[in-house]
Amino acid sequence: MSRNAPAHGRAADMTKTIGFIGLGNMGGGMAANLVKNGYAVRAFDLSEEALAKAEAAGVTRSTSAADAAAGADAVVTMLPAGKHVDAVYNGEVFEAAKPGALLLDCSTIDVATARRVIEAAVAKGFLMADAPVSGGIAAANGGTLTFMVGGTDEAFDMAKPILSAMGKAVIHAGGAGNGQAAKICNNMLLGATMIATCESFAMAQKLGLDPQTFYDISSVASGQSWSMTSYCPLPGVGPQSPADNDYKGGFATALMLKDLKLATEAAASVNASVPMGHAAEALYQLLANKGEGGRDFSAIIQLLS
C-alpha cells in the first residue's frame, strides 16, 4: 500500500489537500496522522525544528501560513491563543484560501474570538468551524483525540472525515463557538477534579491510609473520577501516568492554567457562578509561580501535600 493510500478504512475523499498551520506539541502529531490517512498536507510553523519533524512524517513544507492555505481544500490551524488565530485568519488565510475551502480552527481560545473569526469567514464565503481537542500529546500522536466542534451542520459534515483522521471521537457541540465552550467547561471540571483528587490522597496518607489501599477503595466507590482511575497523581498507583515520570509529559500546568483563565473569563461574560473554577485557577497559578508551568498538571499534589 502506498504512503497516501487510505488507512483504517476511512471514508474520506483521499484526494483532498490540507493546509496545516501550527506544528507544536499537538499540531505535529495531528498533521502526521492526516498524512497517514491519505491526505496531502502542506504545513507551516515558525519553528524550523517542527517543520523538519513534520517533513520526516510526510508533510510538505510551506513558506508561510498563506502559502499553506493557498489551493488547499481545507485549512487546519493549531495555534497558542485567540490573538494568533485572529491574526492568521484575517492577515493571511482569508486572502490566500481558495473559494469554498473549509476552515477548521483546532486551537483552544476564547469563545468570543472563535465566534468573531467564524463570522468573518462566513461573510467571506467560507465554511468554518471551531474544533478544539481533548486528549493531550499522546492522543495527538496516536490519532485518538476527541474533537468538540462548533459550527453549522454543513460545516460539521464536511469537517468530520478530516477530524476523524486525527481522532477517535468527533462531536457536534452546536453553533459557532460551542466547541470552545465545551472545551473550557470540560477542562475547568478536570482541573477542579484533579485538585480534589490530590487533596484526598494527601489527606489519606496523613491519616495513615496506604495510597494503594485508598485507590483500591475509592476507585470503585462514589469518589471515583477520571483523575483518579486514569491519571492518578501519585507514582506507582493506578495505571501509568505522568506521576510515574516525575510529572513530565502529559498536560502541562501552564496549559491547564490557560484553560482555567479562559473558563473564568467566559463565566464572567455570562454571569455564571464558578467558585470551584476560580479556586482551581488560583491554585494552578501558585504552582506556575513556583516555576512548575512545564510539569504535568497532576503535579499540583506536591503543592497540597
Side-chain angles (χ1 to χ4, degrees):
M1 183 171 66
S2 69
R3 187 188 71 189
N4 286 332
H8 309 305
R10 302 290 188 190
D13 176 4
M14 293 306 166
T15 66
K16 282 188 178 293
T17 298
I18 309 294
F20 203 106
I21 302 164
L23 298 168
N25 289 333
M26 299 290 289
M30 292 164 66
N33 277 306
L34 286 172
V35 173
K36 289 177 184 177
N37 281 280
Y39 290 97
V41 180
R42 302 202 312 263
F44 175 71
D45 194 277
L46 294 173
S47 166
E48 171 60 31
E49 181 182 356
L51 281 169
K53 186 176 180 181
E55 278 189 301
V59 172
T60 299
R61 176 191 295 249
S62 295
T63 57
S64 66
D67 183 39
D73 298 299
V75 177
V76 178
T77 48
M78 192 65 172
L79 300 167
K83 63 181 180 180
H84 305 108
V85 172
D86 198 339
V88 164
Y89 279 98
N90 282 293
E92 298 189 66
V93 173
F94 289 155
E95 290 301 317
K98 71 179 186 180
L102 173 67
L103 310 179
L104 298 172
D105 180 41
C106 295
S107 319
T108 297
I109 64 173
D110 62 287
V111 176
T113 296
R115 288 176 174 161
R116 185 172 65 250
V117 172
I118 292 174
E119 182 179 3
V122 171
K124 292 179 179 293
F126 297 106
L127 284 175
M128 185 173 182
D130 56 299
V133 306
S134 178
I137 297 171
N141 292 334
T144 58
L145 292 166
T146 292
F147 288 88
M148 296 152 266
V149 187
T152 63
D153 290 343
E154 185 182 4
F156 176 75
D157 289 343
M158 288 186 66
K160 190 171 183 179
I162 297 169
L163 299 177
S164 294
M166 301 181 284
K168 65 178 181 181
V170 181
I171 302 167
H172 194 189
N178 279 20
Q180 299 296 347
K183 171 66 184 286
I184 60 177
C185 288
N186 178 78
N187 278 21
M188 182 175 70
L189 178 60
L190 173 61
T193 303
M194 178 57 76
I195 289 171
T197 300
C198 291
E199 286 179 338
S200 299
F201 270 102
M203 186 171 120
Q205 286 182 288
K206 289 181 178 180
L207 290 171
L209 186 58
D210 174 71
Q212 184 62 54
T213 300
F214 175 61
Y215 174 89
D216 292 342
I217 294 168
S218 195
S219 65
V220 294
S222 55
Q224 186 274 334
S225 69
W226 183 90
S227 294
M228 174 183 290
T229 56
S230 296
Y231 215 86
C232 190
L234 276 182
V237 181
Q240 187 83 12
S241 73
D244 297 301
N245 190 36
D246 193 29
Y247 303 97
K248 297 173 184 173
F251 185 52
T253 289
L255 294 178
M256 173 55 80
L257 180 58
K258 169 197 166 185
D259 289 358
L260 287 167
K261 287 182 181 297
L262 288 173
T264 55
E265 289 167 4
S269 73
V270 294
N271 198 31
S273 178
V274 290
M276 295 298 292
H278 283 293
E281 179 189 352
L283 285 168
Y284 277 106
Q285 185 68 66
L286 283 175
L287 187 62
N289 290 347
K290 291 179 175 290
E292 303 290 355
R295 299 180 84 193
D296 183 74
F297 79 111
S298 60
I300 194 79
I301 194 169
Q302 297 184 329
L303 188 70
L304 301 170
S305 298

